[in-house]
Amino acid sequence: PLYYHWLAGNKADVNLYFTWNIKRVHYSGITIATIHDLIALRTEMENQTIVDEQRNDLSYTVNHCDYIITVSESSKKDIIQELNYPKDRIHVVPNGIDFEHFNKKISESKATEIRKKYHLPEKFILYLGGMRKHKNIERLIKAYSILPKELQDEYKLVITKGTDGLRKLVGELNLSDNIVFTAFIDDEDKVGMYQLASLYAYISLYEGFGIPVIEAQAAGTPVITSNTSSLPEVAGDSAVCVDPTSIEAIAEGIKDILTDDNLRSGLISKGYTNAKRYSCENAGENLFKFLISLKK
């Protein structure tokens, strides 16, 4: 265990937190906090107690740290606007993934095992992620409901975990035969889920970065995502970016990817190139150069 009195008494040159919730002690060296996103403050969809607690902790952090690290220019802009923190004291270090891990083709036996384990259809659109409201899964389901019948018959929609509310919506839309809610996806099966999917849909209303977009691209799966917050910054032209508040725009983007072979192959190719930019090595080098610069 690390005790507060030890943190207060240490003589480190830099106290680096990979979280926004720094410990409330006096540090002798430079203090750096990491703020990945401001979801609770920017989406207005969280429990008010959570919002108040996070705002209180963030207020302490910005008043007691020398620098902030964040993961995108979009998040940097939000931190400046929401917390009034000086822009020259915010350093952007984009997230990184292990490209080879997601890119390495799974075996046929592993693919069969995953299909059986999660009751996956032959072809499917995948949403793999959390269930919080800003993930916008209701609109994704409604967008799927207005796809042409022949596309629904060919491509099912697979959603990891799900909620009672989402299951009720699926029933109301008479889509129980077309939408599959899986059990929790084990880490060892995550790569396979991406690779087996025909399309990865990440239509979030707000993200500080959007790591699943990069993971899916590294796995060779075309991506449809939102044109808001950090997502167009991270995806660039390697994904179809749509208005996440428009059910029609989401449906049109999905249809385009599933029916246009040239668009689809282009997204896969560009996706590989884009995902390679976000390596753990690049993130580490970026962070290292920033830390070294503090000594000057």
Side-chain angles (χ1 to χ4, degrees), residues 86-134:
K87 64 180 180 180
D88 60 343
R89 287 164 55 194
I90 305 175
H91 185 72
V92 176
V93 180
N95 284 313
I97 66 163
D98 183 346
F99 179 86
E100 297 301 327
H101 174 67
F102 288 94
N103 186 249
K104 184 178 179 181
K105 194 71 175 174
I106 62 170
S107 66
E108 286 296 326
S109 60
K110 181 64 176 177
T112 300
E113 175 191 324
I114 291 174
R115 284 191 186 280
K116 183 177 180 181
K117 183 175 180 179
Y118 299 104
H119 309 289
L120 300 177
E122 184 62 30
K123 294 182 179 180
F124 62 93
I125 302 158
L126 174 67
Y127 170 75
L128 190 161
M131 291 291 112
R132 294 167 71 183
K133 287 184 178 180
H134 73 276

Side-chain angles (χ1 to χ4, degrees), residues 57 61 63 118-119 152 174 193 199 212 222 231-232 250-251 279-280:
D57 289 337
T61 293
N63 287 312
Y118 299 104
H119 309 289
Q152 290 181 9
N174 297 315
M193 290 291 292
L199 169 64
L231 293 165
I250 298 168
S279 68
C280 296

